Amino acid sequence: MELSCAPAAPPGPGPPPGPAVAEGDEYESLPSGAALGTHMVAGAVAGIMEHTVMYPVDSVKTRMQSLQPDPKAQYRSVYEALKRIVLTEGLWRPLRGINVTMLGAGPAHAMYFACYEKMKKSLSDTLQQGGNSHLANVVKQRMQMFNSPYKSVLSCVRTVQRTEGFGAFYRSYTTQLTMNVPFQAIHFITYEFMQEHINPRREYNPRSHIVAGAVAGAVAAAATTPLDVCKTLLNTQENTALSSLNISGHLSGMVNAFRTVYRLGGLPGFFRGVQARVIYQMPSTAIAWSVYEFFKYFLTKHKLEKRTSL
C-alpha cells in the first residue's frame, strides 16, 4: 500500500496531520523501511507452514518416484501409500526427516519471497531457488525411503559424509538448479496470470490467493516432474536400481541420471510419482501463498496504523 502526502496544513497551532493512504492503492507496495523485513517474516512463516502440513505427502512422493521399489513399497495412490505406511511402519513414519526440512524452510522461504517481491517485474526472479538446502534435501529423501537405515538426521549426515564424502550432498545440485528455473518461471507466471484474472485490483483476497497458488503449483509441478525424478535418484542413490544396470559406485551428474531413468523406465519413468507431486504441490503452494499474503497484509496494515497514529 503506497503512502501519499496529505495537503499542507494551514498555519496555526496543533500537530501536523499524519500521512494519508491513497484510496484504492495496493497493500503490496509497502513502506520502504518495512518492506524487506515484512516480506521475510511472512515468507518464513509461509514456508514452515507449507512444508509442515504437507510433509507426509512429500514422503509418499519420494517413495513413488523410486525406479525399482521394494514389493512392499509399491503404491497405487497417495491415500493407499499413506494408509499402508502408517499401518505397517507406524504413525510417525511419514514424518521422518521433517525436522531438517523445517530448519531449512524458514530462512529459505524468507529469502525466496523477499527476492520475488524485489525482482517481481524482472526475469531474474526465475533464477531464485526456494526450497531447502541441498544437504537438507539429501537427508530428507534418504530418511523418507522404504527401509531407510538412518535413525536420525545427525546419523544420516554422518553416515553419508563418512561413506560417500561431502560431495554426496551436491550430486543433484545441477539438476536442482535446472529444475528450479522452469519451475519458478511457470509457478510465478501462472500465479500472476491467475491473479490478473480473479483479483485484478490485487486486494487482500484469501480465496484468490488459494486458487491461484494451487493452480500455479499444479502446473509447475507436472511440467517439471522429469527433473524431480532425476533429482530424487541422485539424492537417494537407489542401490537396487543401480545394481540392476551394473552401475558400480555412485551415480552423479544430470546427464547420467536422465540416461539411468530412461534405461530403467523408458519415457513413463520420467513421470513416476507425478500424481503425488501434483497432489503435494497444489495445497503446498496454496498454503504458502495464502499464509504469505495474510502475514504481508497483517504486518503492512499494522505498520501503516502505527505510522498514522504518530
Side-chain angles (χ1 to χ4, degrees):
M1 184 179 290
E2 295 179 352
L3 295 177
S4 61
C5 295
V21 180
E23 185 176 355
D25 280 350
E26 297 174 2
Y27 74 86
E28 295 180 49
S29 301
L30 305 177
S32 58
L36 181 60
T38 300
H39 292 316
M40 293 187 75
V41 171
V45 175
I48 292 172
M49 284 288 292
E50 168 193 351
H51 288 283
T52 301
V53 174
M54 295 307 300
Y55 191 83
V57 181
D58 185 47
S59 296
V60 170
K61 175 191 75 73
T62 297
R63 292 195 181 193
M64 293 183 76
Q65 286 180 335
S66 178
L67 296 171
Q68 287 194 353
D70 187 285
K72 297 179 181 178
Q74 294 180 359
Y75 314 110
R76 291 173 294 182
S77 68
V78 174
Y79 174 75
E80 180 203 1
L82 281 173
K83 183 178 178 181
R84 285 176 55 187
I85 290 172
V86 169
L87 290 176
T88 60
E89 302 175 49
L91 179 63
W92 302 109
R93 188 63 177 83
L95 296 177
R96 286 195 65 189
I98 192 173
N99 47 351
V100 70
T101 297
M102 292 178 63
L103 192 64
H109 279 73
M111 294 299 297
Y112 177 73
F113 281 107
C115 289
Y116 164 69
E117 292 288 352
K118 286 290 184 182
M119 309 174 76
K120 196 178 205 178
K121 297 179 181 179
S122 168
L123 291 177
S124 299
D125 65 355
T126 62
L127 299 179
Q128 300 305 314
Q129 286 188 38
N132 307 307
S133 68
H134 295 282
L135 184 147
N137 234 328
V138 172
V139 173
K140 171 182 75 76
Q141 293 198 310
R142 293 205 180 203
M143 294 187 73
Q144 287 173 334
M145 292 296 285
F146 180 74
N147 277 341
S148 172
Y150 310 108
K151 302 301 181 183
S152 68
V153 170
L154 190 58
S155 70
C156 181
V157 173
R158 287 174 174 172
T159 303
V160 173
Q161 197 280 328
R162 185 180 68 250
T163 59
E164 303 177 39
F166 191 72
F169 298 110
Y170 287 86
R171 288 199 186 102
S172 67
Y173 185 79
T174 304
T175 306
Q176 181 78 44
L177 289 179
T178 305
M179 178 177 70
N180 277 325
V181 172
F183 182 91
Q184 301 305 343
I186 295 170
H187 179 189
F188 286 133
I189 289 172
T190 305
Y191 183 80
E192 292 296 330
F193 174 81
M194 292 294 296
Q195 284 291 293
E196 284 293 328
H197 283 76
I198 62 179
N199 187 20
R201 295 187 62 185
R202 299 306 178 93
E203 299 171 333
Y204 176 60
N205 186 329
R207 183 178 297 178
S208 76
H209 303 318
I210 291 173
V211 172
V215 173
V219 173
T224 56
T225 295
L227 286 163
D228 195 51
V229 171
C230 293
K231 183 202 74 173
T232 299
L233 176 61
L234 290 170
N235 280 344
T236 59
Q237 297 289 310
E238 290 183 56
N239 292 328
T240 304
L242 299 183
S243 298
S244 67
L245 295 178
N246 296 320
I247 297 177
S248 58
H250 303 292
L251 188 70
S252 62
M254 184 173 63
V255 174
N256 288 333
F258 266 93
R259 288 173 178 168
T260 303
V261 171
Y262 183 77
R263 289 175 65 187
L264 286 168
L267 290 177
F270 290 103
F271 289 91
R272 291 188 68 88
V274 64
Q275 179 199 42
R277 180 165 162 78
V278 170
I279 290 175
Y280 166 75
Q281 284 293 345
M282 284 187 72
S284 289
T285 47
I287 291 169
W289 279 110
S290 58
V291 172
Y292 171 69
E293 298 283 8
F294 167 75
F295 274 92
K296 187 169 70 170
Y297 170 73
F298 175 79
L299 294 172
T300 304
K301 184 178 179 182
H302 177 73
K303 181 69 175 181
L304 291 172
E305 289 176 348
K306 186 176 180 180
R307 281 196 170 195
T308 54
S309 66
L310 294 177

